Structure formats: structure tokens, C-alpha cells
Amino acid sequence: MYTLENVTKTYRQKERTIHALKDVSLSIPTGQLVAIQGPTGGGKSTLLQMLGALDRPTSGRIALGEADLSGMPDTKLGRIRATEIGFVFQGFNLIPTLTAQENVETAIEPLGVAADERRRRATEALASVGLGDRAHHVPSELSGGQQQRVAIARALVKEPDVLLADEPTGNLDEQTRDEIMDLLEGLHRDRGLTLVIVTHDSAVARRAERRLHLTHGTVTERA
């Protein structure tokens, strides 16, 4: 699925050069559930941006399947993000004036999907996360856990091969955290999704098949 070869990412900050990633080489097989942990500023978000085709490395190579993301034009990267990769964020990022159904539909509207097909796929996606009866509620009428389920449905409606989750349980209480992780694990298992989760929560990380730790831009494996 993913192959990273000697990936380095640097940023200029006034007189300083910030090394967000340092010579990272790893592979993530198709269908694996991976957790990424590490301190703030260790490079977790930068690595997720690379995996999500949101940024390119300063040097090195990153590939998703046969697609080399490192030198791909922006238009092709945008297409990959729109069709092959689903994103889930800590802050849900829902549009407050839209219903759950409409929020989910926004993910595939730019793809030129007909309105009837958008509604059908959004309805199915909401049902798959247990929110079939909340389709016409706006975010303010939903709990935090329900809002995150809408966000997951929005990611799933694209029918992606990869799901990238950045602190998906960070705003949730312990019980709701476990419910969301049960949902994500079930989707990973039933759909064969490659699932990569960035988390500070060791209880979340322990549920992954594989744990990576990022410190000062360097990746190590954790048992």
C-alpha cells in the first residue's frame, strides 16, 4: 500500500531549519491498522500529511501503490485525495448549517456524482456508522460521538482504500472513545481498509496491529 524511502521534510523558520521528518523509510501493507504516537512536534502530523497526499517530502520518495506521490502534479494529487483517501479529524470539521446527510454528500459533490446517487451513498454511509436515524439533524443537535460518526461517514462515502485519522477520539470521553474505536476497527476488518491513526492515547494505540513512534522526526517500531 504505502512505501516511504528516505523521506525527509524540512521547513525554514527565520534563521532555523526545522527537520520535521528525518530519513524515514517504512512500508504499510494493504489492510493494516497502524497507530502513530509521539510527543507534540515529533513529526506525526507531517507524516500524516505525506500519507494523505497533502504535502510532498523535501527529499526521498513516498508511494501509494504504484503512484509516486513525491513528484505527482497537484491535480493528480487532488484526485487521489478525493477518491482513494478518507480523512477523519479531531475537530470533526462539519459544516454547522448542513444536516448530517448534507455534510456527508459534500465529500462526493466535487466528483460530479449525480444528486440521487449522492443521496443514496450518503444514506448508506450514515447507516454503516449507526446514524441512519440522524440524517436530517444538524451538528448542534448531535453529541460529540455522533458528530465524529458523521465525519467518519463523510470519509467512507468516497469508498476509499485508506482511512487516515488524526486524533479521532481526542475530543471524546472514555466510553465514546471506545465506541468510536469499535466502529473504526469494524470498518477496518469488514472493508479491508488500511487505517492509520495518529493518537496521544495509549489505550487507542494498543488496539492497533502495529505501533509506530515518532520523536524528532525519526520513526521507531513499538511492540
Side-chain angles (χ1 to χ4, degrees):
M1 174 61 70
Y2 280 108
T3 304
L4 285 75
E5 298 174 351
N6 307 113
V7 170
T8 294
K9 183 65 179 181
T10 59
Y11 300 97
R12 290 293 297 173
Q13 189 179 79
K14 294 183 179 179
E15 301 293 321
R16 301 173 57 208
T17 298
I18 307 298
H19 294 272
L21 295 175
K22 299 178 182 177
D23 201 32
V24 172
S25 295
L26 62 90
S27 61
I28 299 175
T30 299
Q32 191 168 67
L33 198 173
V34 182
I36 302 174
Q37 291 183 279
T40 300
K44 302 184 302 298
S45 293
T46 300
L47 179 57
L48 206 68
Q49 288 174 344
M50 299 292 165
L51 297 176
L54 293 165
D55 200 358
R56 296 184 180 87
T58 304
S59 62
R61 176 178 179 270
I62 176 167
L64 174 58
E66 299 298 318
D68 185 350
L69 305 181
S70 313
M72 187 174 287
D74 288 343
T75 53
K76 290 188 177 180
L77 286 177
R79 187 70 182 177
I80 285 177
R81 290 194 300 269
T83 59
E84 298 184 33
I85 303 171
F87 298 90
V88 180
F89 302 99
Q90 178 176 350
F92 316 141
N93 292 359
L94 301 178
I95 299 172
T97 56
L98 299 184
T99 66
Q101 174 92 20
E102 292 165 339
N103 266 285
V104 174
E105 288 187 33
T106 61
I108 52 176
E109 188 172 359
L111 303 179
V113 178
D116 287 349
E117 178 66 6
R118 287 202 309 269
R119 283 192 291 271
R120 183 191 68 79
R121 286 172 59 174
T123 298
E124 289 183 356
L126 285 166
S128 74
V129 299
L131 283 184
D133 61 342
R134 294 290 188 271
H136 302 295
H137 289 65
V138 295
S140 62
E141 298 172 326
L142 302 172
S143 68
Q146 288 171 333
Q147 290 184 58
Q148 190 61 291
R149 287 173 184 266
V150 174
I152 293 169
R154 183 182 55 194
L156 293 175
V157 76
K158 297 189 290 184
E159 300 176 352
D161 299 316
V162 180
L163 193 61
L164 304 178
D166 191 359
E167 297 285 357
T169 63
N171 285 340
L172 306 176
D173 60 53
E174 187 173 304
Q175 178 179 337
T176 309
R177 174 202 69 190
D178 292 342
E179 291 171 356
I180 292 296
M181 281 306 301
D182 288 344
L183 172 62
L184 289 172
E185 282 186 337
L187 293 167
H188 156 71
R189 180 182 61 250
D190 298 340
R191 300 188 181 208
L193 283 171
T194 302
L195 175 57
V196 181
I197 300 176
V198 165
T199 182
H200 281 96
D201 191 334
S202 294
V204 171
R206 283 194 295 269
R207 298 179 66 157
E209 300 164 352
R210 181 184 182 192
R211 296 169 66 184
L212 302 177
H213 195 270
L214 257 169
T215 306
H216 302 302
T218 300
V219 174
T220 54
E221 298 269 355
R222 285 285 177 93

